[in-house]
Amino acid sequence: MTEVRAAPPVSRTALRICPLCEAGCGLEVGLSAADEVVRIRGDRNDVWSAGYLCPKGPALKHLHEDPDRLRAPVVRRDGRFVEVGWDEAFAAAGRLLGRVVAAYGRQALGVYLGNPNVHNLGGQLYVKPFVKALGTRNVFTASTVDQRPKEISSGLLFGAPLSVPVPDIDRTDHLVLLGANPVDSNGSLATAPDWPGRLEAIRARGGRVVVVDPRRTATAEMADEHVAIRPGADPFLLFALLNVLAAEGLVDPGPAGPYLSGLDDVLGLAAPFTPEAVEPVTGVPAGTIRRLARALAAAPTACVYGRIGTTTAEFGTITSWLVDVVNAATGNLDRPGGAMFARAAIGGANTRGAPRFGRGVRLGRHRSRVRGLPESLGELPVVCLAEEIDTPGEGQIRGLVTVAGNPVLSTPNSDRLDAALAGLDAYVAVDPYVNETTRHAHVILPVPSPLERGHYDVFLSQLAVRNVARYTPPVLPRDPGTPDEWEVLARLGLVAAGVEPDAADPALVDDEIVRLTAAAAVADESSPVRGRDADELIAGLGDRRGPERLLDLMLRTGPYGDGFGARPDGLTFDTLLAAPHGVDLGPLEPRLPDVLRTPSGMVELAPESLVADVARLRAALDDRQNGHGMVLIGRRQLRSNNSWMHNVSILVKGKPRCTLLVHPDDADRLGLVDGEPAEVTSRAGAVTIPVEVTKDIRPGVVSIPHGWGHDRPGARLGVAGRYAGVNSNVLAEDDRFDPLSGTAVLNGIPVTVRPGELPAGG
Ligand SMILES: Nc1nc2c(c(=O)[nH]1)N[C@H]1C(S)=C(S)[C@@H](COP(=O)(O)OP(=O)(O)OC[C@H]3O[C@@H](n4cnc5c(=O)[nH]c(N)nc54)[C@H](O)[C@@H]3O)O[C@H]1N2
Ligand SMILES: Nc1nc2c(c(=O)[nH]1)N[C@H]1C(S)=C(S)[C@@H](COP(=O)(O)OP(=O)(O)OC[C@H]3O[C@@H](n4cnc5c(=O)[nH]c(N)nc54)[C@H](O)[C@@H]3O)O[C@H]1N2
Ligand code: SF4
Ligand SMILES: [Mo]
C-alpha cells in the first residue's frame, strides 16, 4: 500500500525551462524545506510561456523521483546489470570501445543520437565534439525518422539546414497545417507554447485555420476546416495549389520577390498536377483545392506549415520544399503573418559569417557500407543502422554508443535492430534508463535528472515564433561525485579516443571547445568581436566553466551580444541570470536577404536535386490512381513523449492509449470490434492491438501511436511494463524511405488488418 500523506509546505521556489518538448515552457518548482519537490506549475512571469504548461511539465517531479531512473553507472556482468563507480564505468567503456578500435579500426564504431540531445545543454553543446572524438562516419540520429527532409529543403533553399521558416502564428490571418497536431504535440519546427490559445487567437481576430490530416485531430477540432487527405498525398496537394495559383494569375511573391530565384521553374513543374489530376490520389475534391488556393492568395497574410505527417513520408523532401514555395508564391515568405525566420541569440548559422552568400549545404559526401545510401549533414539514414551492425564484412559496426535514444522503439524494422544490438562486441549507452534499447548495453552511464541541470534552448530558439533568451540554473544540487551530462560526454569521448580514464579530464574538452568557439568568433565578419584577440576574450569569461562559460561566450559574440564591450547594452550570461523569467528579444522581423547563406545569394526555389525528384512524384501520380489498400499512420498523445515517459504513472494510468484507430466502415468490412484485438501486418512484421472504432479517421487509414511496446525482457521500467502497448515500428519498413533525405516512411505504411487474438496471458 502506498502511504498517503499531506504534501509538505513550499519553502522556496525555483524556475526551470521544461526540457520535454519544443514548447519549452517556463516552470515554477515549489520545494519543501528538505528540498523535496512539492509541486510544479507554469511560471506566469515567463516572457515566453506566460504560465502555460501541459500535463507532462509537472511530471518532472515524478521523473526526478522515479526509482527506476539510474543514479549510478551500471555494467553488465553475467547477463545482469551491476552498479559500479564512475571511474570503473569509464574504464570499462574505454576498454570495450578500445578493443573494437584496436581490432577493426574506428569505422567499426557507430553512434546513435536520440531526440533529447536537442533538449539538454550537454547534448546541445558537447555532443558534436563527442561524435568527432569517436572518429567514425557511422553517425545515426533520430533526425532521419523526423525533420531531416525539412532541414535539407531549408539548406538548399536558404543555405542552412536550420534556416527553417516558421509560421508567424501570432500575426497570421490564415494558417494551413499539414500533418501536424500541435494541440497534442505542442508544436514542432515552430517553437511556441500554448498552441491551443494561439490557434484560438487566430480565429478570435477573424482569421482562419485549416487542418489537412487523414485524422480529425484535436487541432482539426479547433479549426475552421478539416481536409481529410490520403496519407502521403501532400506533395500532390501542394503542387495543385501552385497549379491553381499560376493558372488563375494569383502568384504574387510580395516583398521577398527580389530575392527569389526559380519560382517560374517550379510553377512550370506544377503544370501536370491539376486539381482534377490529383483528386483521386489526394482524396481531396478538385473544388476544395481551388478554394484552398484562392483563400491563401486572398488572405491579407497566410502561412502553410507542415510537420511530421509530411516529413516522415515517401516524398518528405519535396513536400517540405513545396510548403515554402507556396508561401513564397503567395507573398508570405519572410513577412509578418507569413513564414518567417527566427533570429536566435546563439548558435544560428544564419547569423554567422558573411550575410547572404554562403556555401549552402553539401549532401551525399559518402555512402553507407551495405546499401550505399547517401549521408546528409554528416549522418547516415537510421534505416541502415541494423544492417550496418548485422552484416559481416569490413567496416561492420561492432561497437556502438547511444546517447539519449531508444531506437528499438523509434526506428523502422525494430525487431531486426533489437536482434542486431544483442550481437555487438561493445555497446555503451548514455541514458538514465534501462529501456528496450539500453538493455543491450555493456555499460550505461546515466545523466542527472533535469532538475539537477541548468538549461538553455540553443536548438529550439532557431525555430521560435518569437525571439527570446532564457537560462534556468539547476533547481537542485547534484549528488557529489555525480557528473553532469556534458562531463559524461567529454570523458567518454576522451576514453574512446584512447586517453587513460584517469587522465580523461572533461576540462580538457571544455577548454578546447571554448578555444575553438572564441577563435571562430574573432574570425567571423558578422561577429561584434571580429579581429579581437581570442585569448583575451577567454580571459574575460572569468572563472565559470562548462556550459555556463560556453553560453556566456556564445551570447556575448552573438547577434545581440555585448561583444565584450563593443556593445555595452548587449547580452551576456549575467544578463540572463539577472532576468530569471527570460529576456524578450521581440517578434520576428523580416530577414531577407541577409538570412541567406546560398551560393547565389538568392532563395534558390528550384534546386536541381529537388527538381529531379519530381519525376518520381509524377510516376507516383499515375501509379496511385487506383487500388488503395489500408495504410497505417502514427499519432502523438498529449500525455506521452516519444518512448520515454511511460514510466510515469500519473501520465499512463487510465484506459489503454496504445490502440488502433479504425473507421466504422472499415471495422464493419473487416470484422473488427471496438475493444477487441486486431492483427496488423506489414511487409516488416505484425502486431496485435486493441481496436478503437472512431469516425475521426479517414476510411482506409488506421493509426497507431509510436513509442510503445514496453514488453521486452530485461528493461527496467516497472510502470511502463504494466502499460506495455505495441511497438508500431515493428511494422515500419527499413526499405521504405524518402531517397533525398533517407528519412523513413512512418506515415503511409501499407498494412493488412484482421481480427486478432491476444497472446495467451496478454
Ligand atoms: N512510427 C513512428 N516512429 C517514430 C515517430 C513517429 O511519429 N512514428 N517519431 C519519430 C521522432 S519525431 C522522434 S524525435 C524519434 C525519437 O526517437 P529517440 O530519440 O530514439 O527516442 P526517445 O523515445 O525520444 O528516447 C529518448 C531516450 O533518451 C533518454 N533521455 C531522456 N532525457 C535524457 C537526457 O537528458 N540525456 C540523456 N542522455 N538521455 C535522456 C530516455 O531515457 C530515452 O531512452 O522517434 C521517431 N519514431
Ligand atoms: N505529447 C507529445 N508531444 C510531442 C511528442 C510526443 O511524443 N508526445 N513528440 C515530439 C516530437 S519528437 C515531435 S517531432 C513533434 C511532432 O509534432 P507533430 O508533427 O505535430 O506530431 P503528430 O501529433 O504526430 O502530428 C502528425 C499528424 O500528421 C498526421 N498525418 C499522418 N500522415 C499524414 C499525411 O500523409 N499527410 C498529412 N497531411 N497528415 C498526416 C497524423 O494524423 C497526425 O495528426 O511532437 C513533439 N511533441
Ligand atoms: S508543453 Fe508540456 S511537455 Fe512541452 S514544454 Fe510545456 S510543459 Fe513541457
Ligand atoms: Mo521528433
Side-chain angles (χ1 to χ4, degrees), residues 118-350:
V118 298
H119 291 281
N120 76 72
L121 268 181
Q124 295 182 94
L125 299 177
Y126 295 81
V127 96
K128 256 197 193 161
F130 168 71
V131 169
K132 213 169 159 209
L134 290 180
T136 177
R137 286 178 167 180
N138 289 311
V139 181
F140 303 86
T141 79
S143 296
T144 48
V145 278
D146 193 348
Q147 80 289 352
R148 181 49 40 90
K150 191 73 200 179
E151 290 173 305
I152 291 183
S153 72
S154 302
L156 293 170
L157 268 64
F158 310 113
L162 281 182
S163 289
V164 173
V166 297
D168 184 17
I169 49 177
D170 294 340
R171 286 177 292 192
T172 195
D173 298 289
H174 188 102
L175 180 63
V176 178
L177 301 103
L178 304 180
N181 181 15
V183 169
D184 285 328
S185 70
N186 288 299
S188 177
L189 297 190
T191 294
D194 192 13
W195 273 80
R198 291 176 131 111
L199 291 175
E200 201 54 61
I202 296 177
R203 301 189 61 203
R205 61 179 182 261
R208 199 172 156 77
V209 177
V210 179
V211 170
V212 180
D213 195 307
R215 182 164 77 92
R216 188 174 177 83
T217 59
T219 308
E221 206 60 59
M222 288 191 65
D224 296 274
E225 182 172 0
H226 171 221
V227 178
I229 194 170
R230 279 213 163 91
D234 304 82
F236 302 104
L237 174 69
L238 290 164
F239 255 139
L241 293 176
L242 289 172
N243 180 292
V244 174
L245 292 171
E248 301 191 0
L250 299 174
V251 173
D252 173 9
Y259 312 114
L260 304 180
S261 72
L263 180 56
D264 288 340
D265 298 333
V266 194
L267 295 174
L269 291 169
F273 299 93
T274 61
E276 283 70 21
V278 306
E279 177 176 315
V281 183
T282 55
V284 183
T288 305
I289 298 175
R290 289 213 159 76
R291 189 165 47 70
L292 291 175
R294 289 169 192 155
L296 277 172
T301 65
C303 183
V304 182
Y305 157 69
R307 202 42 202 104
I308 202 97
T310 64
T311 53
T312 52
E314 225 175 309
F315 297 97
T317 311
I318 289 194
T319 307
S320 298
W321 164 47
L322 294 179
V323 163
D324 291 330
V325 178
V326 171
N327 287 331
T330 51
N332 287 301
L333 181 66
D334 197 45
R335 81 161 168 198
M340 305 189 75
F341 300 95
R343 186 170 179 262
I346 60 176
N350 61 35

Side-chain angles (χ1 to χ4, degrees), residues 18-25 27 52-58 185-186 193-194:
C18 179
L20 297 176
C21 90
E22 294 183 37
C25 301
L27 304 176
Y52 182 78
L53 84 174
C54 87
K56 293 188 294 300
S185 70
N186 288 299
D194 192 13

